[in-house]
Amino acid sequence: MSTMTSMNSSGVDALNANSAGMVPSLISIIKCSRVLIELRLADLGIRAGQDHLLVALDPDGEPVLTSRLADTIGVRASTASKMLDRLEMRGFMRRGESLTDRRHTTVCLTEEGRIMRERIEAVWDDVERYIFHGQSDDVVSDVRRTTAQLESILDERLRRLR
């Protein structure tokens, strides 16, 4: 049995018992929401992924280890490094050495980066308002609660696979 398959006590695949096509729906949700965000980020001159990186940095400018930052946004250190190169060239963040271990590099937001971070968060909020426009508060609360639960489940599963 695969590490990503589970059977209930009667041996029936639990996913197939109530399957309503969640994975294709998730993929579609991710793609559609990402396109909405990318359209707005383009107005800021920010590429997909750079938004996650900037928002993952401490808004008060406290240094973060690059390896921890890569883990936080779910990319390899080499990918994070390339993203950081681009953001550093634009003046949104700066690199430094760890105070406790000079072998490690830290990054922190500049004032320009903090402002861009706020703009990105505003884009995310605007996109969320656009998505939920016309929906009841109950629907919005249910979706937020359910997506938070799903995120927690997926984080747990990924930790087990890594």
Side-chain angles (χ1 to χ4, degrees), residues 62-141:
E62 288 297 315
V64 177
L65 289 173
T66 55
S67 57
R68 183 165 296 158
L69 183 61
D71 288 343
T72 299
I73 64 171
V75 299
R76 286 185 246 158
S78 61
T79 301
S81 182
K82 290 174 191 172
M83 293 168 69
L84 290 168
D85 288 344
R86 291 182 186 110
L87 294 170
E88 187 174 33
M89 285 179 13
R90 296 193 53 202
F92 295 139
M93 48 72 54
R94 67 177 165 268
R95 288 182 167 104
E97 292 179 348
S98 169
L99 298 176
T100 57
D101 188 340
R102 293 183 59 180
R103 295 173 295 175
H104 296 287
T105 303
T106 61
V107 292
C108 62
L109 285 174
T110 61
E111 181 61 22
E112 294 84 8
R114 188 189 58 72
I115 292 167
M116 182 55 74
R117 184 184 193 278
E118 290 173 359
R119 289 178 179 159
I120 290 166
E121 289 175 326
V123 164
W124 289 2
D125 290 344
D126 288 347
V127 168
E128 185 172 324
R129 277 192 296 279
Y130 177 76
I131 291 169
F132 286 124
H133 179 75
Q135 301 301 311
S136 71
D137 290 344
D138 288 343
V139 167
V140 173
S141 293

Side-chain angles (χ1 to χ4, degrees), residues 21-33 147 150 154:
M22 185 194 73
V23 171
S25 292
L26 283 176
I27 292 168
S28 179
I29 291 165
I30 292 164
K31 285 181 176 181
C32 291
S33 59
T147 54
L150 182 56
L154 289 171

Side-chain angles (χ1 to χ4, degrees), residues 6-32:
S6 64
M7 299 283 184
N8 64 20
S9 59
S10 65
V12 176
D13 183 342
L15 289 175
N16 288 332
N18 290 327
S19 180
M22 185 194 73
V23 171
S25 292
L26 283 176
I27 292 168
S28 179
I29 291 165
I30 292 164
K31 285 181 176 181
C32 291

